[in-house]
Amino acid sequence: PTSDRPIQHYEIQYRKQGVSSWTSVTRNPTTSQTTIRNVDKGSVYNVQVRAVSDIGSGQWRSVTSQMTYRVPPQVENININQTVSNEMINLQVTWNQPTTQYRKQGVSHTTL
């Protein structure tokens, strides 16, 4: 459906998956984008947005994010070898890269 009243701003709410209460973004943007800052690493969030005009608010449209950045997994097989060079004793440390890949994933635009 179309509206004959202009959109004044948008309301945005978010919550960490598994949490029942929503947090409102305090600044209601007049454009179609905003940034939710300081989210927890390795978490999934639900976000919902709706348009607001002078006669009321539209229905919420929801999306679920995929996992945010995670901390890297532990390195493997750390070894320390002592070496001597020019009468200086050194420690040479080697390790294997983690076998599990990690990366930031985008947003899955799934309607809730």
Side-chain angles (χ1 to χ4, degrees):
T2 60
S3 171
D4 58 350
R5 305 301 298 166
I7 293 171
Q8 294 178 327
H9 64 272
Y10 296 90
E11 294 178 341
I12 300 98
Q13 295 181 333
Y14 67 96
R15 66 182 178 193
K16 187 189 275 188
Q17 193 169 44
V19 174
S20 61
S21 61
W22 292 93
T23 300
S24 293
V25 174
T26 55
R27 186 181 64 79
N28 293 325
T30 56
T31 62
S32 60
Q33 72 174 40
T34 194
T35 301
I36 300 171
R37 300 186 190 285
N38 202 26
V39 295
D40 293 334
K41 297 177 186 133
S43 297
V44 174
Y45 284 85
N46 304 114
V47 178
Q48 53 184 21
V49 179
R50 68 180 174 184
V52 179
S53 73
D54 63 350
I55 60 169
S57 301
Q59 292 183 339
W60 289 107
R61 174 76 176 189
S62 298
V63 67
T64 300
S65 73
Q66 294 182 12
M67 188 171 292
T68 58
Y69 281 114
R70 299 181 296 191
V71 296
Q74 289 183 318
V75 297
E76 299 175 1
N77 300 322
I78 298 174
N79 293 299
I80 300 174
N81 293 308
Q82 181 175 307
T83 62
V84 178
S85 175
N86 297 327
E87 297 184 23
M88 294 177 59
I89 299 173
N90 304 301
L91 297 177
Q92 181 182 25
V93 181
T94 61
W95 60 89
N96 292 351
Q97 293 181 358
T99 56
T100 305
Q101 295 294 318
Y102 75 102
R103 62 186 170 87
K104 178 184 177 192
Q105 298 176 343
V107 173
S108 170
H109 294 279
T110 304
T111 302
L112 299 176

